[in-house]
Every structure is written in C-alpha cells, then in structure tokens.
C-alpha cells in the first residue's frame, strides 16, 4: 500500500452519481420507519431473515427475466458471503435490535456516522481514497447538520439504553467495512452483486433463525407489519442495493457512504410531502449544513477556476 498523496482523494462525483445517491438516500430514509413498525411484532433476527430472503427472491426473479446471468456471481461465492456478513447480517441485526428501544430518528442519526468510519477505514485500507482536509471538513458538516436537524425532536428519546446506541454505532462501523469490501465487485453488474450478497445472507439467516426461534409463530404478525416488511425488502433492499453497488462502482466507497447523511433529510422531507408534517427552522438549518458538507466533500465548487 502506498503512502503518498498522488491518489489522495476519491474521484469527484458526476451529476448522475449525485442523482443516484439522493434517490438512494430517499429510499433508505423510509427503511428506519418500516423497521420500527416491524420490530414491534417480529424478532430482530427473524426480521433480518424476512428482509434478505424476500429481497433475494425478487432479485433472482429479476435476473431470470431481465439478466444478466446469476452465474457471474459463482466465481466470487466466498466474497459474497463476506459481503453478506458485513453489509446485511451484522448491520441489519444490530439496527433492528437497537430499534426495539430507539426511535427511527435517533437510529438514523447514529447511522449517519457511517461516512466518518468509512473515510477512516478507506484511508487505512485503500490506496486511492485517502483522507483529505475537505473530506474531513465535509463529514464534520454533515454529522453536525444531521444532529441539528434531528436532535431537538429527539430530546425525549435520548435516554435510551446505551447498549442500543452502541448497536447502531456498531452497524455503522460494519457498513464502513462493507463499503470498502464492495470495491472488489466493480467488474460484476450491480444487479448480480446485489442478488449475490442477499442470496448469501438468506443461506445464512434461514438456518440461524430456525435454530434460534424455530418455525412456530414466525408468520403470526399483523397485516400492517407484513406491509412494512415487504416495503423494507423490495423497495429499501432489492431496488436500493442495485443503486448502492452502481454508485460504489462509479464513485467509490467514501462517496457512496455519503448516502447515510442524506437519509435523515429524506425522512423529514417525505413526512412533509406525504404526511403534512411541517418543516421546522432547525430542520431546514440542518439540511443546509448537510448540503454544505456534501459540497465540501465533493470539492468541485471549492476548486479555483483556471
């Protein structure tokens, strides 16, 4: 691994990269809401199993109808199980466990530390995504903006158990490793990568849940909970991961991890658009800080014109 600065920063993001990143953030903004509904009646490990297995089935059907062939994943089967562990099994389990005690807003705040961990890990483990001043400053703006935007509305919920908060931070760290590990799949089409990791997750989670919980009572949840599970699996997992791997292949791990700064913004905007919730001044201020952070990390507006 080189220690020079010639490859010091990740490449700038294109307009298409930013569009896909914002779309992914909007989709994942609803995942904490759906998960909060689902964990009320489904155990965290069982919810992980349902999320990954339904999503894997949807994507397998997609590949069967539209291609490319899932056989492209076979030569990297071992890597897909590692990716499944880092990007699905560990973080999903920790998030759902934490959300049995924490609200969706606080969970999204803790999840928004992912770019910080990703930047540190990328600096340590990669040759072409080293930390830079603008990247550090941008991440700081983004985390501060998330706290400003969500924090005042979470005062009553900040007293949650410390173990639940550490569970969400642990999920963020696992995602950081996953963003770095996902770089090795650049040569494989994003739908195949998404399908491969979710299929591997299913292979692990089905026997694990049968061992821990058994089959009895697994399907006893109410209709609105199953609706949340389906939304979590199909929209926030199947479709979202196709976008996720496409962004990593195009823009790099650190840039892709910025989606976690957009997630809280999208959650509030979706509430304002579809639930008639009013945006508060502090929420707008937080979004401005996050936008400033994203611009700072990208760096193109800060570069001198030639």
């Amino acid at each position: 691994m080189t220690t020079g600065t010639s490859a010091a920063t990740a490449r700038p993001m294109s307009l298409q990269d930013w569009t896909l990143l914002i779309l992914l953030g909007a989709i994942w903004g609803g995942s904490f809401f759906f998960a909060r509904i689902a964990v009320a009646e489904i155990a965290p490990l069982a919810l992980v199993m349902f999320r990954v297995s339904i999503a894997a089935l949807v994507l397998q059907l997609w590949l069967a109808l539209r291609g490319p062939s899932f056989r492209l994943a076979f030569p990297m089967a071992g890597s897909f199980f590692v990716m499944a562990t880092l990007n699905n099994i560990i973080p999903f389990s920790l998030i759902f466990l934490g959300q049995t005690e924490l609200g969706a807003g606080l969970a999204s705040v803790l999840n928004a530390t992912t770019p910080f961990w990703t930047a540190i890990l990328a600096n340590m483990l990669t040759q072409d995504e080293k930390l830079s001043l603008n990247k550090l400053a941008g991440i700081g703006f983004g985390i501060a903006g998330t706290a400003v935007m969500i924090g005042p509305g979470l005062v009553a919920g900040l007293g949650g158990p410390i173990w639940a908060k550490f569970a969400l931070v642990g999920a963020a760290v696992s995602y950081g490793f996953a963003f770095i590990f996902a770089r090795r799949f650049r040569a494989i089409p994003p739908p195949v990568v998404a399908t491969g990791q979710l299929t591997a997750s299913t292979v692990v989670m089905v026997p694990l849940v049968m061992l821990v919980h058994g089959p009895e009572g697994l399907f006893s949840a109410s209709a609105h909970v199953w609706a949340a599970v389906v939304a979590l699996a199909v929209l926030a997992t199947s479709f979202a991961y196709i976008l996720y791997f496409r962004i990593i292949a195009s823009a790099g791990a650190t840039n892709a991890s910025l989606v976690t700064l957009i997630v809280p913004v999208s959650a509030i905007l979706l509430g304002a658009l579809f639930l008639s919730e009013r945006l508060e001044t502090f929420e707008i201020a937080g979004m401005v800080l996050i936008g400033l952070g994203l611009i700072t990390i990208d760096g193109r507006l800060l570069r001198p014109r030639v």
Side-chain angles (χ1 to χ4, degrees), residues 73-273:
F74 292 171
M76 299 187 68
S79 293
F80 276 112
F81 277 95
V82 175
M83 189 63 188
T85 301
L86 294 174
N87 207 39
N88 295 158
I89 297 170
I90 291 176
F92 287 178
S93 299
L94 291 175
I95 289 171
F96 296 158
L97 181 64
Q99 284 202 262
T100 61
E101 297 287 344
L102 303 177
L106 181 55
S108 69
V109 170
L110 295 171
N111 187 65
T113 63
T114 296
F116 175 73
W117 302 111
T118 305
I120 292 175
L121 292 170
N123 184 69
M124 295 169 55
L125 302 175
T126 72
Q127 298 181 17
D128 60 341
E129 295 194 44
K130 300 300 183 182
L131 286 174
S132 62
L133 182 60
N134 68 295
K135 191 176 296 184
L136 285 171
I139 290 170
F141 278 128
I143 294 175
T146 302
V148 167
M149 184 179 63
I150 301 291
L154 295 173
V155 173
L158 290 178
I162 191 67
W163 66 262
K165 298 174 185 176
F166 274 119
L168 267 297
V169 173
V173 175
S174 186
Y175 278 137
F177 279 106
F179 276 113
I180 306 303
F181 192 80
R183 292 157 49 99
R184 69 184 56 208
F185 300 109
R186 284 176 176 168
I188 301 177
V192 176
V193 180
T195 307
Q197 69 151 3
L198 289 165
T199 301
S201 297
T202 302
V203 171
V204 173
M205 290 306 302
V206 170
L208 178 61
V209 170
M210 292 301 106
L211 179 65
V212 174
H213 295 293
E216 189 172 349
L218 276 180
F219 299 93
S220 60
S222 55
H224 77 280
V225 168
W226 284 116
V229 171
V230 171
L232 189 63
V234 177
L235 180 62
T237 308
S238 298
F239 179 64
Y241 272 129
I242 293 176
L243 295 180
Y244 163 83
F245 287 109
R246 181 171 177 177
I247 294 168
I248 287 179
S250 175
T254 302
N255 285 330
S257 73
L258 298 178
V259 69
T260 54
L261 296 178
I262 301 172
V263 166
V265 179
S266 72
I268 286 183
L269 288 177
L270 288 171
L273 290 172

Side-chain angles (χ1 to χ4, degrees), residues 289-304:
L289 279 173
I290 289 174
L292 180 60
L294 295 173
I295 292 172
T296 302
I297 289 174
D298 184 51
R300 80 183 66 198
L301 293 183
L302 304 179
R303 298 188 194 106

